[in-house]
Amino acid sequence: MAAAGFVASFAVGFAVGDRITDRRAATKPSGSARVSPGVSAAAPGSNDSAANPAEVELRDEIVRVPRTPAVAREIGPPLAAPKADAPANAPSGPVEHIGEQVRAIQAVRATNANAFSPAFASDGTAIFFHTGRERDGRSAIEVATAGNQTGGDLGIMTIVDDGSHNYHAQPSPDGRFVAFDSDRDGERGIYVANRDGSQVRRVSGAGYAAVPTWSRNNEWLAYIRAEADKPSVWNLWLQPAAGGRARRVTNYRFGQTWAASWFPDDRRIAYSHEDTLMVMDLQTGEVTRYRTPVKGQLVRTPAVSPDGTKIIFQVFRHGAWLLDLADGSMQRMLTDPTAEEFAWAPDGRRVAFHSRRDGQWGIYVLSRR
């Protein structure tokens, strides 16, 4: 779902160099962005500070800024300005460009239902996703499966559909479980179920929580939580996947942090906040920051490649971009302004995402050469 974006307007607060401590933002942004399908910016919980009863680690970030600033370059024609009468979530400018190989998941399209938030199974032969939008009465977790994900028709199987809103399905790397967020208990939280949708259990505590991601060793879940006193402010938390005490990772007092994507070493994560993409070392707290390639535009839904060398992410209304961590360069991979929530196939050659490029929200796959 396209959203009403806002321009981040805070002072940088640090100089270029190695191991520099970041300071609190000087000013607060003027507005708040709505979010992708299935996530509401308003948490339904109370303002009681006990709503997030988890261990909190407060520490300054150690920030590493690349000595050579990220260089943004576009592949193909530039994105055209949207027409004045165009809807906010309509594609603006060319959706296809030279070199793109994008195809729809036909079996998902055949269901004639809006589909969001794809995630590949660890063997690449299935794609998990959810149906339904925030305004719909219900949404289900479904799986498109096939013996060979690269060709042929897929079969659709529903694994969670209990009449509640169930979003952001994430299969565990070992293939045994699926994590997702749901409002089945009245307040959005993180749940884990068996691969077939059975034995659903809540693993996050009280308070609004959403968009889980697994560490690659199956041991940890990262997710965003709304602040009890500021429900439109989101921060990142970590928790043992089997349940247990959660740990705060970020401590922003404004804006929304987008859920983490894990590196293969399970020591680093990528996430975004406002107009910046972050790579954090969870052991040291060291953060490398990469500013948006489109000045003033939000960076969202980053996904780390299976080999840990690249990150694909959305620049709000400006398509999908690829960050090469070797040199900090960025290039635009998709001009489709509605493409978001990316998931790499295990082979690193395909990226699934949801988009409204054909007029209805659906799941697509970008094949990389």
Side-chain angles (χ1 to χ4, degrees):
M1 177 174 65
F6 62 92
V7 177
S9 57
F10 56 91
V12 174
F14 57 85
V16 176
D18 287 345
R19 301 185 65 83
I20 301 173
T21 302
D22 188 32
R23 300 301 179 188
R24 182 170 297 181
T27 60
K28 183 177 179 180
S30 58
S32 179
R34 295 185 62 194
V35 299
S36 62
V39 181
S40 171
S46 70
N47 290 328
D48 186 352
S49 61
N52 287 340
E55 179 180 3
V56 176
E57 284 193 2
L58 297 179
R59 60 186 179 188
D60 287 337
E61 292 177 351
I62 302 174
V63 178
R64 185 182 299 276
V65 183
R67 291 189 182 279
T68 302
V71 177
R73 59 190 180 94
E74 296 188 11
I75 306 298
L79 194 67
K83 295 180 180 179
D85 57 350
N89 55 5
S92 56
V95 171
E96 302 290 348
H97 74 63
I98 298 172
E100 286 186 11
Q101 300 179 41
V102 176
R103 64 180 178 88
I105 301 298
Q106 294 297 338
V108 177
R109 176 180 286 179
T111 64
N112 198 33
N114 290 288
F116 308 95
S117 306
F120 278 97
S122 58
D123 61 3
T125 62
I127 293 180
F128 290 70
F129 62 96
H130 75 254
T131 61
R133 292 170 290 184
E134 189 74 25
R135 67 189 184 205
D136 296 332
R138 63 196 297 173
S139 56
I141 302 297
E142 300 191 346
V143 186
T145 60
N148 180 5
Q149 180 64 41
T150 61
D153 291 333
L154 301 178
I156 302 295
M157 178 176 65
T158 300
I159 61 173
V160 178
D161 186 8
D162 58 357
S164 57
H165 293 102
N166 303 291
Y167 300 127
H168 302 108
Q170 290 285 318
S172 62
D174 64 7
R176 299 172 56 202
F177 305 106
V178 58
F180 59 98
D181 56 73
S182 175
D183 64 357
R184 63 184 53 227
D185 294 326
E187 183 177 40
R188 185 76 57 81
I190 306 300
Y191 293 79
V192 173
N194 291 340
R195 166 73 167 66
D196 62 2
S198 63
Q199 297 185 2
V200 178
R201 59 193 183 278
R202 184 175 180 125
V203 296
S204 64
Y208 181 99
V211 199
T213 58
W214 293 88
S215 63
R216 302 198 186 189
N217 63 8
N218 298 285
E219 294 182 1
W220 293 88
L221 285 169
Y223 52 84
I224 60 98
R225 293 179 73 163
E227 295 299 312
D229 58 341
K230 294 182 178 180
S232 63
V233 176
W234 298 347
N235 275 290
L236 191 64
W237 294 69
L238 296 182
Q239 181 171 333
R245 189 179 294 274
R247 175 169 67 91
R248 178 189 289 272
V249 176
T250 64
N251 194 37
Y252 296 107
R253 301 308 300 166
F254 64 90
Q256 294 167 346
T257 301
W258 289 85
S261 179
W262 295 78
F263 281 77
D265 59 13
D266 282 330
R267 172 170 173 163
R268 293 171 296 156
I269 57 172
Y271 65 94
S272 64
H273 184 262
E274 306 291 296
D275 66 347
T276 305
L277 176 64
M278 318 283 193
V279 174
M280 174 185 280
D281 186 314
L282 293 171
Q283 293 186 17
T284 66
E286 183 174 308
V287 175
T288 303
R289 297 171 172 265
Y290 300 90
R291 296 295 183 186
T292 177
V294 183
K295 185 177 181 180
Q297 295 301 311
L298 294 177
V299 173
R300 312 197 305 177
T301 64
V304 178
S305 64
D307 63 5
T309 64
K310 296 177 175 61
I311 302 174
I312 192 168
F313 60 96
Q314 181 205 45
V315 177
F316 183 60
R317 293 184 177 171
H318 289 269
W321 292 71
L322 191 70
L323 166 65
D324 188 333
L325 293 168
D327 59 9
S329 63
M330 298 179 184
Q331 67 180 38
R332 189 165 63 175
M333 303 299 293
L334 289 169
T335 57
D336 178 358
T338 66
E340 61 183 13
E341 297 205 26
F342 309 102
W344 291 85
D347 61 10
R349 299 177 61 184
R350 293 162 292 152
V351 178
F353 60 96
H354 71 234
S355 167
R356 201 180 178 184
R357 63 195 289 129
D358 293 332
Q360 176 174 297
W361 290 106
I363 306 300
Y364 298 82
V365 173
L366 167 68
S367 296
R368 301 185 63 226
R369 292 179 177 177

